[in-house]
């Protein structure tokens, strides 16, 4: 008697899952795959009046100095943010995920993390810049290229897969930003076959600014290295000759 109830629950989840997902994420079709953007990222900040040597004391108290730039901001806003919270947000957002930044009680601003400065020894964040974006103006940014799959030529042991450029420059509205572009290399079936920027298939909302002839990945032949090893007898002969000369003397 419980099986029909369980079936109805599963059917309800299937029917409403797309609606629920649509409220929290967006999808982009890239090279036949769907890249799902995660939930929005929230961050709180406080205005900062501390400058100069006093900043060190602020860092010891667990806060990181920050600056918010933008076309509508003149001068930029000096901020301070809780270090532990900022560390988590930077790890999630990277450079291409929008952050909803709230300063005091003001309405949240959509920003991107830009210049992140770290202590060279501890790796702790010591300063960060944010850029406030417009919802109606396109921005240019670099997006990571991630190779997925395995080339059949590599699987057969005929070649090696070499990587070309690691990022491409794109122009897009801030709301359509993607964290990365996946590049499927399973289509590289022959030696010397490659994938180039012009082969990338991305959403129509994205404009790739990087030159189309830039190489992304290529299968090259495996080269056998021949290492010449000197015959040990040569060393022995030299030693014998030297010994003979000494005896003659």
């Amino acid at each position: 008697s419980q099986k029909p109830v369980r079936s109805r629950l599963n059917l309800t989840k299937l029917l409403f899952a797309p609606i629920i997902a649509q409220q929290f994420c967006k999808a982009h079709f890239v090279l036949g795959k769907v890249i799902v953007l995660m939930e929005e990222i929230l961050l709180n900040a406080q205005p900062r009046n501390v400058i100069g040597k006093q900043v060190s004391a602020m860092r010891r108290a667990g806060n990181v100095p920050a600056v918010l730039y933008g076309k509508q901001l003149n001068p930029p806003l000096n901020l301070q943010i809780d270090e532990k919270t900022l560390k988590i947000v930077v790890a999630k957002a990277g450079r291409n995920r929008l952050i909803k930044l709230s300063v005091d009680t003001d309405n949240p601003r959509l920003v991107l993390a830009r210049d992140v400065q770290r202590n060279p020894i501890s790796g702790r964040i010591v300063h960060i810049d944010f850029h406030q974006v417009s919802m109606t103006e396109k921005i240019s940014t670099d997006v990571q290229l991630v190779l997925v799959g395995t080339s059949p030529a590599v699987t057969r042991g005929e070649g090696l897969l070499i990587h070309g450029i690691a990022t491409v420059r794109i122009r897009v509205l801030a709301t359509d930003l993607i964290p990365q572009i996946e590049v499927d290399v399973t289509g590289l079936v022959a030696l010397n076959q490659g994938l180039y920027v012009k082969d990338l298939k991305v959403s129509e909302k994205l404009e790739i600014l990087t030159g189309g002839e830039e190489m992304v990945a290529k299968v090259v032949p495996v080269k056998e290295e021949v290492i010449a090893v000197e015959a040990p007898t040569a060393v022995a002969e030299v030693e014998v000759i030297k010994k003979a000369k000494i005896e003659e003397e």
Side-chain angles (χ1 to χ4, degrees):
S1 58
Q2 296 298 324
K3 289 185 179 180
V5 175
R6 190 179 296 114
S7 299
R8 286 199 296 271
L9 289 174
N10 292 338
L11 180 59
T12 303
K13 288 182 180 180
L14 290 173
L15 289 174
F16 287 95
I19 300 174
I20 296 172
Q22 195 173 25
Q23 295 175 354
F24 292 95
C25 62
K26 298 179 181 179
H28 292 269
F29 291 88
V30 181
L31 291 177
K33 298 179 180 293
V34 178
I35 295 181
V36 180
L37 303 189
M38 298 180 184
E39 73 281 358
E40 62 185 14
I41 302 174
L42 307 177
L43 179 63
N44 293 321
Q46 300 295 325
R48 172 171 58 92
N49 297 319
V50 176
I51 57 174
K53 296 181 179 179
Q54 296 176 338
V55 172
S56 296
M58 184 189 70
R59 290 194 181 102
R60 288 193 295 270
N63 293 309
V64 177
V67 179
L68 175 59
Y69 296 92
K71 288 185 177 180
Q72 307 299 326
L73 299 173
N74 190 16
L77 296 180
N78 292 324
L79 307 171
Q80 62 183 40
I81 304 171
D82 176 73
E83 181 183 0
K84 292 181 180 179
T85 304
L86 180 62
K87 180 181 178 180
I88 296 172
V89 167
V90 169
K92 285 185 177 181
R95 289 180 56 87
N96 292 325
R97 287 192 60 188
L98 289 174
I99 302 169
K100 276 192 173 181
L101 179 66
S102 297
V103 181
D104 274 350
T105 57
D106 292 348
N107 293 329
R109 308 163 185 261
L110 287 179
V111 304
L112 291 171
R114 281 302 174 245
D115 186 21
V116 180
Q117 299 177 21
R118 298 180 182 272
N119 183 297
I121 298 176
S122 65
R124 294 173 59 180
I125 300 175
V126 296
H127 188 277
I128 186 170
D129 289 344
F130 292 102
H131 175 71
Q132 183 172 336
V133 299
S134 168
M135 303 299 290
T136 58
E137 294 182 7
K138 291 187 176 183
I139 60 174
S140 297
T141 187
D142 293 330
V143 176
Q144 193 79 19
L145 296 177
V146 178
L147 304 186
V148 295
T150 304
S151 163
V154 174
T155 302
R156 294 191 299 267
E158 299 173 356
L160 295 174
L161 182 70
I162 60 172
H163 296 210
I165 58 175
T167 62
V168 290
R169 190 97 177 149
I170 66 170
R171 188 167 179 267
V172 66
L173 287 173
T175 51
D176 295 319
L177 270 173
I178 56 176
Q180 64 187 33
I181 297 176
E182 291 188 353
V183 183
D184 189 352
V185 299
T186 56
L188 300 179
V189 297
L191 294 178
N192 298 314
Q193 188 176 358
L195 284 170
Y196 300 85
V197 170
K198 62 184 179 182
D199 300 318
L200 300 178
K201 295 178 177 61
V202 297
S203 167
E204 295 180 354
K205 298 178 180 179
L206 276 66
E207 177 188 358
I208 297 181
L209 303 178
T210 304
E213 297 303 321
E214 291 285 349
M215 186 190 73
V216 176
K218 186 176 182 179
V219 178
V220 298
V222 177
K223 295 182 180 179
E224 295 183 0
E225 295 185 3
V226 179
I227 302 176
V229 180
E230 294 183 0
T233 54
V235 178
E237 290 175 359
V238 172
E239 291 179 352
V240 171
I241 294 172
K242 285 184 177 179
K243 185 175 180 180
K245 287 186 177 180
I246 292 173
E247 291 177 352
E248 290 175 0
E249 293 176 356

